Amino acid sequence: DAGVTQSPTHLIKTRGQHVTLRCSPISGHKSVSWYQQVLGQGPQFIFQYYEKEERGRGNFPDRFSARQFPNYSSELNVNALLLGDSALYLCASSLDGTANEKLFFGSGTQLSVL
Amino acid sequence: SQKIEQNSEALNIQEGKTATLTCNYTNYSPAYLQWYRQDPGRGPVFLLLIRENEKEKRKERLKVTFDTTLKQSLFHITASQPADSATYLCALLVSGGYNKLIFGAGTRLAVHP
């Protein structure tokens, strides 16, 4: 069975541009979460979606947005990129997104903002 | 302020020994605590989950303890192997109805032959 897949694996953008990152969860998983991981730090929660509805949002500016599609895949959008947005963006899926579930992470998208 | 602290320095141990990693937290009341393994360039991989009312959890060579009074979790790998070399992340889940994990910065473990 395929795990969580993310695309692209690497991306280089310049300041002010917009980026869209994509995630396909494990088959049967209805919840998708997004995390940002800056080098040397742990992942930081951005969003969680379940059944196309936003269930939770972390402390990120409105430049960050996301959505979940009927097939449970998800997109993360970041507008007006800043140098500080350079990071590994991780997508994680789980069955229902409830509190006691483990997360299955993809390998991430490495975003570099120049 | 709320903090999760893991040893920032790498832990170097000899093959066959027990590795013990520490996770301390302040100003949180987590319902669950999880441990993940992360290899370079990869996403975290789930290892163990322990609930606030559990003291200890085991899985093969792995053991986790959770002391809500000390606000500390210990993660043990017995009979360590070079293949155990990775960064280990602890993550708290604070009750809120959904699955938002708060991660520590991780501890890098290096097991030498």
Side-chain angles (χ1 to χ4, degrees):
Chain A
D1 283 342
V4 176
T5 57
Q6 292 187 242
S7 63
T9 54
H10 295 83
L11 203 52
I12 299 175
K13 292 284 189 178
T14 56
R15 281 178 297 174
Q17 285 189 312
H18 162 270
V19 69
T20 298
L21 311 180
R22 295 178 174 82
C23 171
S24 292
I26 291 172
S27 177
H29 285 192
K30 298 179 181 178
S31 176
V32 169
S33 299
W34 288 94
Y35 286 79
Q36 180 196 66
Q37 187 174 24
V38 174
L39 191 64
Q41 297 182 20
Q44 187 173 359
F45 176 80
I46 310 176
F47 287 109
Q48 185 194 11
Y49 275 78
Y50 174 71
E51 291 281 13
K52 298 178 290 179
E53 297 289 327
E54 181 183 304
R55 199 179 248 185
R57 183 185 183 117
N59 189 23
F60 280 80
D62 291 344
R63 299 185 295 108
F64 289 76
S65 63
R67 54 180 176 167
Q68 187 177 32
F69 299 99
N71 66 353
Y72 304 111
S73 67
S74 178
E75 284 182 354
L76 175 70
N77 294 282
V78 187
N79 292 323
L81 285 167
L82 303 174
L83 295 179
D85 295 331
S86 296
L88 180 67
Y89 288 85
L90 295 162
C91 173
S93 75
S94 62
L95 278 169
D96 296 315
T98 51
N100 62 342
E101 287 187 326
K102 61 186 179 183
L103 296 183
F104 294 82
F105 284 87
S107 290
T109 295
Q110 185 65 55
L111 173 65
S112 298
V113 182
L114 305 179
Chain B
S1 62
Q2 296 175 316
K3 284 193 300 186
I4 302 173
E5 291 181 329
Q6 296 185 252
N7 293 352
S8 57
E9 293 184 12
L11 179 63
N12 291 283
I13 65 167
Q14 209 66 30
E15 182 176 7
K17 301 293 186 184
T18 296
T20 298
L21 285 70
T22 305
C23 176
N24 294 299
Y25 59 92
T26 55
N27 294 324
Y28 284 113
S29 296
Y32 303 91
L33 189 145
Q34 301 184 14
W35 283 86
Y36 287 79
R37 167 184 173 143
Q38 187 171 26
D39 292 285
R42 309 299 299 270
V45 174
F46 173 82
L47 296 174
L48 282 168
L49 176 153
I50 188 165
R51 293 172 173 78
E52 61 179 335
N53 59 352
E54 295 177 317
K55 296 293 184 186
E56 183 178 298
K57 205 79 170 281
R58 291 174 184 261
K59 179 184 175 183
E60 298 172 352
R61 294 185 296 112
L62 309 180
K63 184 178 85 170
V64 173
T65 63
F66 192 12
D67 189 327
T68 55
T69 301
L70 290 179
K71 297 187 182 297
Q72 181 182 77
S73 175
L74 299 178
F75 177 79
H76 306 272
I77 306 175
T78 58
S80 59
Q81 305 165 0
D84 295 326
S85 299
T87 295
Y88 291 85
L89 300 160
C90 76
L92 306 183
L93 189 136
V94 197
S95 60
Y98 60 95
N99 203 343
K100 171 185 174 180
L101 290 178
I102 304 165
F103 283 87
T107 298
R108 192 160 56 87
L109 172 67
V111 181
H112 302 282

